[in-house]
Amino acid sequence: MDIGTQPSLIPHDAAAAPMPGKRSAGGLAEVGLLISIVLLVASGALAGAVFLYGQYAQTSAGSKVEQLQRAKQAFEPSLIEELTRLDDRMRAAAAILSAHMAPIAFFDALQQSTLTTVSFQTLDLEANDPQRMVVKMNGLAEAVNSIALQADLFSKNGVITNPIFSDISRQQDGVHFALSASVNPMAINYVQLINAASAAGAGQQQPAGTQFSPALQSATQQQPQGALQQPYQPATQPAQ
Amino acid sequence: MRTIIAVLCLLGAGAIFFMYTQPTYDSVQAENAQIAQYDEALSKASELQQLKQSLLSRYNTFDPAQIERLQKLLPDHVDNVRLILDIDSLAGKHGMALQNVVVSQNASSQGSQSATAIIGASQQAYDSLTIKFTTQGSYETFRQFLAAFESSLRIVDLVSLNISRGSNNAQGNAAVPLYTYNITLRTYWLK
């Protein structure tokens, strides 16, 4: 009896073991193909999304530009220019006015502090720099004592500072001298004088409607007594 | 075959990504940054609009006559011929006559140091002109003439003044001595 072989309906070939390497290679290729297709589709979809996003951004940017243009038009550039010009004008006028000097105040101070025995024949005022005004004068005094007294008066004067008398020479008509002094810019500053006059209640400001209408007419109507207009009287006695 | 298709798909995906998607996305990002700037500008524009309204309401409170006076105080143009005519007219009112009128533009920039220091040399919004002339008259009339300049609406600064004794009054009034005045004035206008 042959017991080595078992009868079976299953063919031996079919029962043979499958080839594992061949099957795994095919599956990997399928997976790879699937992944690559998915990647291609995803890349395409992403490109489409980016395209749409770009379109949206462009539309949005265009809308913003239009809004900005409308805002620019709403600013009314001509009005802005007018306001800017007015601002510049106000600032510049304030700066110029702050340095504006009142030479009449200088002459007032000069004639108030000039002795009747002293007169000035020439005057040279240099006010190119309002902060460093220099005045040079040639004068005639009755006596040397008058010059000394005059120097004392000028030293007490708040307008004329650092008076230096020089070239003093006694001549037949009196004592000639030269005077060099500085002018205190704060003492003759136009704005400060106006403010001081307003504060004192004495400033009767007259609105200057025309370009050269005086605003301080009261100051100009004062009768000058000394300084350049003061007539010189020759000394009857020799200078001491 | 499948491998070839897979490789082609991968190459296609990479090509789409690197040749279109990424550059386009970068440009969109740049555009977004620009949109952010636009938004910021719009926000500022809104603030400026409010500021403009407040300034406009302040401007409307100004008296037009005062603005006109400010315009005369610091005009847009120097108009030196007109200025000389005004000075001559003013001198005539005081019985004085102008002689040797010399106009020099912008020669006095060094003299406006105090004003320049306030505004700043690079931001100086105005320019100046100097007028030099000679006149004669009594001291009293000269004071009135000078006071008119000093307080004139158009700002006129005295730059230099030289007074010397002239001849006596030709009309026989020997008590009123005449003087010769060499005057240099400076006036300004807005650039």
Side-chain angles (χ1 to χ4, degrees):
Chain A
M1 205 171 152
D2 187 6
I3 54 169
T5 56
Q6 294 289 328
S8 172
L9 292 173
I10 300 169
H12 287 286
D13 289 345
M19 294 186 295
K22 211 172 180 180
R23 172 160 289 217
S24 65
L28 195 62
E30 285 174 1
V31 170
L33 180 62
L34 186 64
I35 290 171
S36 62
I37 289 171
V38 167
L39 282 176
L40 181 63
V41 170
S43 181
L46 191 62
V50 167
F51 173 75
L52 291 175
Y53 187 39
Q55 292 295 313
Y56 166 75
Q58 276 185 358
T59 309
S60 178
S63 167
K64 302 281 184 194
V65 168
E66 280 181 16
Q67 286 180 39
L68 276 174
Q69 282 177 346
R70 278 200 298 272
K72 187 180 173 184
Q73 286 172 355
F75 272 133
E76 298 176 79
S78 60
L79 176 67
I80 297 292
E81 191 179 344
E82 188 182 340
L83 292 177
T84 307
R85 188 104 179 126
L86 178 64
D87 183 60
D88 286 347
R89 196 184 303 279
M90 288 168 77
R91 288 176 193 277
I96 294 168
L97 264 178
S98 69
H100 185 50
M101 296 297 158
I104 288 298
F106 163 74
F107 285 107
D108 284 343
L110 181 63
Q111 64 192 42
Q112 280 169 13
S113 58
T114 301
L115 294 171
T116 53
T117 53
V118 173
S119 68
F120 295 104
Q121 296 170 321
T122 64
L123 181 144
D124 202 349
L125 177 67
E126 190 60 43
N128 194 28
D129 180 359
Q131 298 304 315
R132 293 190 188 87
M133 284 184 285
V134 176
V135 61
K136 291 176 182 173
M137 291 184 284
N138 291 322
L140 193 59
E142 194 176 278
V144 176
N145 278 354
S146 299
I147 296 175
L149 187 56
Q150 186 63 67
D152 188 45
L153 278 175
F154 278 154
S155 65
K156 291 174 183 171
N157 187 301
V159 177
I160 299 166
T161 57
N162 306 321
I164 299 171
F165 288 85
S166 59
D167 299 339
I168 299 171
S169 68
R170 185 178 299 165
Q171 294 180 14
Q172 195 174 2
D173 54 347
V175 181
H176 289 251
F177 65 90
L179 167 65
S180 173
S182 300
V183 180
N184 180 8
M186 302 306 287
I188 62 167
N189 184 277
Y190 185 78
V191 175
Q192 290 196 4
L193 289 173
I194 290 289
N195 289 340
S198 301
Q204 295 177 354
Q205 266 187 278
Q206 181 179 335
T210 58
Q211 291 197 7
F212 291 104
S213 61
L216 291 177
Q217 209 155 20
S218 58
T220 66
Q221 288 170 348
Q222 293 171 1
Q223 294 298 321
Q225 293 173 349
L228 292 166
Q229 203 203 11
Q230 189 179 56
Y232 172 68
Q233 296 172 350
T236 54
Q237 293 177 356
Q240 296 172 3
Chain B
M1 185 63 182
R2 287 176 182 171
T3 309
I4 292 170
I5 292 171
V7 168
L8 287 175
C9 285
L10 277 175
L11 286 176
I16 289 170
F17 183 79
F18 288 110
M19 294 180 71
Y20 175 76
T21 306
Q22 194 172 31
T24 308
Y25 183 74
D26 288 344
S27 67
V28 171
Q29 287 295 99
E31 203 150 12
N32 275 338
Q34 201 165 12
I35 287 171
Q37 287 181 349
Y38 287 155
D39 283 336
E40 195 177 349
L42 281 169
S43 171
K44 289 264 175 66
S46 175
E47 290 174 16
L48 288 174
Q49 192 69 27
Q50 289 177 357
L51 183 65
K52 187 199 105 179
Q53 288 301 330
S54 67
L55 287 175
L56 192 60
S57 57
R58 268 182 70 187
Y59 176 73
N60 289 333
T61 62
F62 291 170
D63 183 3
Q66 296 294 331
I67 294 177
E68 194 181 344
R69 291 187 67 198
L70 187 64
Q71 182 93 15
K72 282 181 182 172
L73 189 147
L74 193 62
D76 288 318
H77 309 287
V78 62
D79 197 3
N80 57 340
V81 176
R82 176 75 190 161
L83 183 67
I84 291 167
L85 288 174
D86 285 341
I87 294 172
D88 189 49
S89 167
L90 186 69
K93 280 183 188 172
H94 295 92
M96 302 167 88
L98 298 192
Q99 296 170 339
N100 307 326
V101 179
V102 178
V103 178
S104 55
Q105 186 173 336
N106 208 14
S108 57
S109 58
Q110 58 180 359
S112 56
Q113 288 171 355
S114 62
T116 307
I118 294 167
I119 293 185
S122 60
Q123 299 174 354
Q124 192 169 336
Y126 60 89
D127 211 340
S128 61
L129 174 128
T130 54
I131 299 173
K132 188 174 183 179
F133 58 90
T134 304
T135 187
Q136 283 189 332
S138 67
Y139 177 64
E140 190 176 351
T141 53
F142 169 72
R143 274 179 55 92
Q144 291 170 2
F145 180 59
L146 198 61
F149 275 118
E150 177 184 299
S151 56
S152 73
L153 184 55
R154 179 165 182 172
I155 301 176
V156 179
D157 280 331
L158 181 69
V159 176
S160 71
L161 169 67
N162 177 271
I163 304 177
S164 57
R165 191 82 180 255
S167 59
N168 276 350
N169 197 332
Q171 294 173 349
N173 189 1
V176 181
L178 292 182
Y179 295 92
T180 301
Y181 308 93
N182 291 306
I183 304 170
T184 306
L185 300 172
R186 183 191 298 131
T187 189
Y188 308 88
W189 76 94
L190 194 65
K191 281 182 187 171

